């Protein structure tokens, strides 16, 4: 049994009253295991047709499933193809509860490692713009890998303190703040967080959370919506932060969130419409979720979805992917397709702006791994498809050179498993030079 700090136990007893015993009992069980289908790559229906795992639906999620803990979901080629993302079940609620519409300008303010950003991107359906920001550069690199593998084309990945997002006041239709927090709900899954709770508890985080939500309100357009979430149970990090936000501006109001069995309300007077998820009430580790709206919506011009001609590069003759709502931009020797927007993003530490298509090496265009991930099977002419049981799939994911003489392909090929793209390779005389990125390599 995990040893929980006495102060924490006292707080929880006070909070949960008669339910406290049930809460303690969850520590006798394993934590929950779950994944979410990446609907930018495959519909839930199509995934269920090829599903290799023991999945059961998560009641509040349209695309989330529990899997059996013996399912090796992170070792399956479909994971490397970005068909799903491993995410804790209650952590699926924030992205789901923020009502994203196509063409919205969306900021995920504390985005790394990118799990919730992926859901926002799925809902945008490659329209509008998603800025996935996080204060940490190294954690933002993981967001980059997440969104790249999952084939997201319309995201900027930035690494800034939200308080330094100057020039962006009144800019966003929707903002997600999945705030840094003391992580109380993760104690069962990751007991090492207990030590950091002792060092930096709810009081420490409340100061940061207040400053983040205050800044985020100023970044919202009139009528814009903000979703605030934490994986803490503490009233200090949840209801008190929402009450603080409400005290800043009377244009701010709390909106209701769709209810499911055993969702519990917020605790203070103005937070009854918020949702508390507890591990003894639902199958998940726990979360707090609040949806706020700032003032009334004013009709503003949304981004226009016009189709753009492909770049005049021989490689693109073999690509049958339509490019819309953006422009091709070359920076140094790299070519990007950047989403249209009228935001002033100058000066932001930007790890990725839109879709990196490839780079020029010795005057020759080499397509990028992000382009491979963004392509569908029928969108590239030169396909090298393996069945799931072909042992070359894992060899490819381990970055090995392959013998593909039986496949009769040549040149730059899109390597696929069961018709789902994994990455590029170059075939010469039946030997595949592997272009799968070594830092994504199969382990
Ligand atoms: C709970 S995690 C976010 C998890 C992420 N939303 C996901 O679903 O994968 C909180 C994040 O907030 C970031 N953070 C902390 N202070 C910040 C600030 N002032 N501005 C932006 N990000 C911040 C941390 O680096 C951390 O990655």
């Amino acid at each position: 049994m995990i040893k929980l700090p006495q102060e924490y136990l006292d707080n929880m007893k006070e909070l949960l009253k008669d339910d406290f015993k049930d809460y303690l009992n969850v520590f006798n069980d394993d934590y929950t295991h779950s994944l979410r289908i990446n609907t930018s790559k495959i519909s839930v229906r199509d995934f269920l047709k090829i599903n290799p795992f023991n999945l059961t639906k998560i009641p509040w999620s349209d695309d989330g499933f529990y899997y059996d803990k013996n399912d090796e979901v992170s070792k399956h080629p479909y994971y490397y193809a970005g068909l799903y993302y491993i995410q804790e079940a209650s952590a699926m609620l924030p992205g789901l509860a923020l009502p994203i519409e196509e063409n919205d300008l969306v900021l995920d303010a504390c985005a790394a490692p990118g799990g919730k950003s992926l859901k926002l991107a799925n809902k945008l359906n490659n329209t509008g713009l998603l800025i996935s920001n996080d204060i940490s550069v190294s954690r933002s690199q993981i967001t980059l890998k997440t969104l790249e593998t999952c084939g997201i084309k319309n995201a900027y990945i930035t690494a800034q303190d939200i308080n330094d997002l100057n020039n962006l006041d009144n800019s966003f239709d929707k903002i997600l703040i999945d705030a840094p927090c003391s992580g109380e709900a993760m104690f069962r899954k990751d007991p090492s967080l207990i030590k950091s709770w002792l060092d930096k508890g709810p009081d420490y985080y409340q100061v940061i959370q207040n400053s983040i939500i205050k800044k985020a309100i100023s970044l919202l357009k009139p009528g814009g919506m903000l979703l605030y979430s934490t994986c803490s149970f503490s009233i200090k990090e949840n209801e008190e932060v929402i009450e603080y936000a409400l005290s800043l501006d009377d244009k701010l109001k709390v909106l209701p969130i769709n209810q499911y069995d055993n969702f519990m309300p917020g605790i203070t007077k103005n937070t009854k419409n918020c949702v508390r998820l507890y591990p003894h009430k639902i199958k998940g580790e726990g979360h707090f979720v609040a949806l706020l709206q700032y003032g009334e919506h004013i009709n503003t011009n949304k981004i226009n979805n016009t189709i753009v001609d492909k770049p005049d590069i021989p490689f693109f003759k073999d690509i049958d992917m339509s490019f819309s709502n953006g422009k091709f931009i070359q920076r140094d020797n790299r070519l990007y397709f950047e989403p249209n927007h009228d935001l002033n993003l100058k000066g932001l530490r930007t790890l990725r702006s839109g879709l990196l298509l490839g780079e020029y090496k010795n005057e020759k265009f080499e397509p990028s791994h992000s382009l491979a991930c963004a392509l569908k099977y029928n969108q590239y002419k030169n396909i090298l498809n393996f069945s799931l049981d072909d042992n070359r799939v894992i060899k490819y994911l381990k970055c090995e050179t392959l013998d593909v003489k039986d496949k009769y392909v040549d040149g730059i090929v899109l390597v696929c498993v069961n018709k789902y793209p994994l990455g590029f390779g170059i075939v010469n005389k039946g030997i595949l030079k592997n272009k799968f990125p070594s830092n994504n390599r199969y382990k």
Side-chain angles (χ1 to χ4, degrees):
M1 174 84 176
I2 294 167
K3 186 157 175 21
L4 296 163
Q6 192 54 48
E7 188 190 340
Y8 173 69
L9 289 171
D10 294 342
N11 294 346
M12 289 304 278
K13 196 170 182 182
E14 164 93 30
L15 178 72
L16 299 175
K17 311 218 164 39
D18 292 350
D19 284 353
F20 180 58
K21 257 198 176 146
D22 293 347
Y23 169 69
L24 285 185
N25 278 338
V26 302
F27 287 91
N28 297 323
D29 300 330
D30 194 10
Y31 64 86
T32 48
H33 299 78
S34 46
L35 57 80
R36 211 178 59 68
I37 312 299
N38 171 19
T39 55
S40 296
K41 286 228 166 181
I42 188 168
S43 68
V44 173
R45 205 174 148 177
D46 285 349
F47 185 81
L48 292 178
K49 287 185 199 153
I50 58 162
N51 161 38
F53 310 123
N54 296 299
L55 299 185
T56 356
K57 180 98 174 43
I58 296 173
W60 54 89
S61 168
D62 47 355
D63 46 21
F65 294 85
Y66 301 109
Y67 61 86
D68 190 288
K69 79 170 179 191
N70 298 318
D71 286 329
E72 294 198 293
V73 295
S74 64
K75 286 188 174 292
H76 199 283
Y78 291 160
Y79 178 62
Y80 289 81
L83 301 193
Y84 54 86
Y85 181 81
I86 300 166
Q87 189 176 40
E88 197 278 302
S90 36
M92 294 178 193
L93 184 61
L96 192 73
L98 182 59
I100 304 281
E101 286 166 29
E102 292 200 0
N103 293 313
D104 272 348
L105 289 178
V106 181
L107 170 67
D108 187 356
C110 305
K116 298 184 180 82
S117 266
L118 178 60
K119 176 68 182 180
L120 306 182
N122 290 159
K123 294 213 274 190
L124 279 172
N125 194 18
N126 278 315
T127 67
L129 176 71
L130 170 65
I131 298 188
S132 293
N133 175 71
D134 197 280
I135 195 169
S136 157
V137 178
S138 59
R139 285 173 62 80
S140 295
Q141 299 283 5
I142 310 175
T143 307
L144 175 56
K145 185 176 157 188
T146 304
L147 297 185
E148 180 176 76
T149 305
C150 291
I152 303 307
K153 299 185 246 182
N154 60 330
Y156 273 57
I157 295 156
T158 58
Q160 291 293 147
D161 184 331
I162 184 178
N163 290 298
D164 295 335
L165 294 181
N166 301 320
N167 308 320
L168 292 173
D169 281 359
N170 306 317
S171 294
F172 294 98
D173 298 295
K174 310 284 155 59
I175 298 180
L176 178 72
I177 302 174
D178 186 36
C181 72
S182 65
E184 295 178 347
M186 302 311 281
F187 286 172
R188 177 167 70 161
K189 195 171 177 196
D190 182 2
S192 72
L193 287 169
I194 297 172
K195 182 170 178 326
S196 56
W197 186 92
L198 287 165
D199 294 342
K200 294 174 181 168
D203 288 308
Y204 171 87
Y205 281 103
Q206 190 190 56
V207 177
I208 300 174
Q209 291 153 347
N210 281 346
S211 91
I212 291 178
I213 203 164
K214 183 176 179 190
K215 176 65 183 177
I217 294 165
S218 73
L219 300 176
L220 278 176
K221 280 182 188 169
M225 291 181 198
L226 185 158
L227 193 133
Y228 176 86
S229 61
T230 72
C231 57
S232 168
F233 301 120
S234 164
I235 298 175
K236 288 184 180 172
E237 297 181 75
N238 297 318
E239 284 84 352
E240 285 186 19
V241 174
I242 300 304
E243 294 285 357
Y244 166 74
L246 294 171
S247 75
L248 293 174
D249 197 321
D250 54 16
K251 288 204 197 83
L252 213 56
K253 60 178 184 254
V254 180
L255 298 181
I257 292 171
N258 271 351
Q259 292 295 311
Y260 292 86
D261 278 353
N262 289 324
F263 276 26
M264 303 304 284
I267 284 165
T268 58
K269 185 169 142 253
N270 295 308
T271 58
K272 300 283 179 227
N273 276 335
C274 304
V275 169
R276 282 184 159 261
L277 300 180
Y278 291 115
H280 56 285
K281 293 276 186 197
I282 51 109
K283 199 173 160 196
E285 300 309 295
H287 240 72
F288 172 85
V289 181
L291 180 62
L292 306 175
Q293 185 168 31
Y294 182 73
E296 294 305 318
H297 180 68
I298 302 173
N299 253 347
T300 44
N301 285 342
K302 292 258 174 154
I303 294 167
N304 209 344
N305 274 316
T306 40
I307 305 276
V308 185
D309 286 343
K310 286 191 288 187
D312 190 17
I313 299 171
F315 175 79
F316 280 86
K317 296 211 164 41
D318 295 339
I319 298 266
D320 184 20
M321 177 192 211
S322 71
F323 291 92
S324 61
N325 164 35
K327 52 194 168 303
F328 295 96
I329 291 206
Q330 194 178 329
R331 290 215 175 82
D332 302 322
N333 55 347
R334 295 178 146 204
L335 183 67
Y336 296 85
F337 186 70
E338 291 190 352
N340 287 333
H341 62 80
D342 51 10
L343 302 178
N344 182 354
L345 303 178
K346 279 204 188 91
L348 299 187
R349 197 159 38 199
T350 303
L351 276 64
R352 180 60 54 85
S353 53
L355 180 65
L356 171 63
L357 297 164
E359 55 190 304
Y360 294 92
K361 287 187 178 161
N362 303 323
E363 316 246 311
K364 265 182 109 175
F365 182 78
E366 234 185 57
S368 69
H369 183 63
S370 12
L371 177 59
C373 297
L375 284 166
K376 300 251 166 20
Y377 179 77
N378 54 4
Q379 291 179 329
Y380 184 59
K381 211 164 92 182
N382 211 6
I383 297 286
L384 173 57
N385 187 44
F386 293 119
S387 60
L388 203 47
D389 57 0
D390 192 318
N391 64 12
R392 286 174 292 188
V393 173
I394 301 297
K395 287 186 173 180
Y396 174 75
L397 294 173
K398 286 183 174 172
C399 300
E400 293 177 19
T401 300
L402 304 181
D403 184 331
V404 293
K405 292 191 191 83
D406 56 322
K407 297 283 189 182
Y408 307 103
V409 283
D410 200 40
I412 300 177
V413 290
L414 183 64
V415 182
C416 297
V417 57
N418 197 13
K419 299 191 176 176
Y420 295 103
L422 293 170
F424 283 119
I426 304 175
V427 180
N428 185 10
K429 297 188 181 137
I431 301 298
L432 177 119
K433 189 174 162 198
N434 202 319
K435 289 286 170 184
F436 192 71
S438 54
N439 55 355
N440 294 9
R441 180 193 297 244
Y442 183 91
K443 287 186 201 97

